Amino acid sequence: METRNEICDISLDVKEELKKFRFRKSSTNSALILKIDREKQIVILDEFLDDISVEELQETLPGHQPRYVIYTYKMLHDDGRISYPMCFIYYTPRDSQMELQMLYACTKNALQRETDLTRVYEIRELDDLTEDWLKEKLQ
């Protein structure tokens, strides 16, 4: 079997969801979780979660499969301001199949370009995905 290093396509549904997600007015943390359909070699929507804490997000992600997460986080600043930074979290567990890791890694940059986000973080262990970790990254 030949190995394919090409990037997976991003489904029109995902492109549409990304647009809606980016421009929606929300006052809560929310996440768009994306995954790759291996059969069709395409990025699809896994789930949309509104009003989800970082801890709940951590519990939602599968333990052995990579995911892309677009996350809006309600951040309270020391001066009383509130902002909603959006970030791209690339989650790739160490013990997921190597072929799957490669597929996600090859597609990550294309998806990152599609989201047009500059805050991009990678997580290898679910336990690392905590509110403290995220706050530190977003400062």
Side-chain angles (χ1 to χ4, degrees):
M1 188 178 116
E2 68 178 85
T3 51
R4 295 164 40 153
N5 277 348
E6 72 223 33
I7 325 173
C8 295
D9 285 328
I10 300 165
S11 75
L12 290 174
D13 285 353
V14 165
K15 290 180 180 184
E16 199 54 43
E17 285 298 326
L18 285 170
K19 219 175 281 174
K20 277 197 288 190
F21 191 75
R22 164 165 288 187
F23 294 111
R24 61 197 275 283
K25 299 283 180 252
S26 176
S27 55
T28 58
N29 299 347
S30 30
L32 208 52
I33 301 175
L34 307 173
K35 67 179 182 179
I36 291 178
D37 178 329
R38 289 170 78 175
E39 300 289 303
K40 298 179 181 157
Q41 299 277 304
I42 193 165
V43 178
I44 59 172
L45 178 64
D46 189 14
E47 49 188 329
F48 165 72
L49 303 161
D50 198 16
D51 198 11
I52 181 168
S53 70
V54 178
E55 284 70 25
E56 289 166 329
L57 177 62
Q58 183 192 74
E59 290 166 18
T60 303
L61 293 171
H64 305 293
Q65 294 181 344
R67 287 292 183 270
Y68 305 112
V69 180
I70 315 302
Y71 192 63
T72 303
Y73 179 71
K74 181 178 181 177
M75 198 160 166
L76 300 167
H77 297 271
D78 295 338
D79 61 6
R81 287 178 308 118
I82 297 175
S83 66
Y84 297 90
M86 190 179 290
C87 58
F88 179 100
I89 301 170
Y90 171 52
Y91 165 59
T92 172
R94 293 179 205 288
D95 56 357
S96 60
Q97 295 175 352
M98 189 48 90
E99 181 190 340
L100 209 50
Q101 287 186 38
M102 292 301 296
L103 201 54
Y104 274 78
C106 290
T107 305
K108 175 183 163 253
N109 288 339
L111 187 59
Q112 194 179 323
R113 274 193 304 279
E114 186 67 38
T115 62
D116 197 26
L117 293 174
T118 52
R119 295 181 176 100
V120 179
Y121 313 117
E122 193 169 324
I123 285 242
R124 303 281 288 172
E125 303 291 334
L126 267 181
D127 291 347
D128 293 344
L129 182 58
T130 63
E131 192 148 7
D132 288 343
W133 172 84
L134 189 61
K135 280 182 183 171
E136 187 180 302
K137 293 284 188 191
L138 292 173
Q139 286 180 358

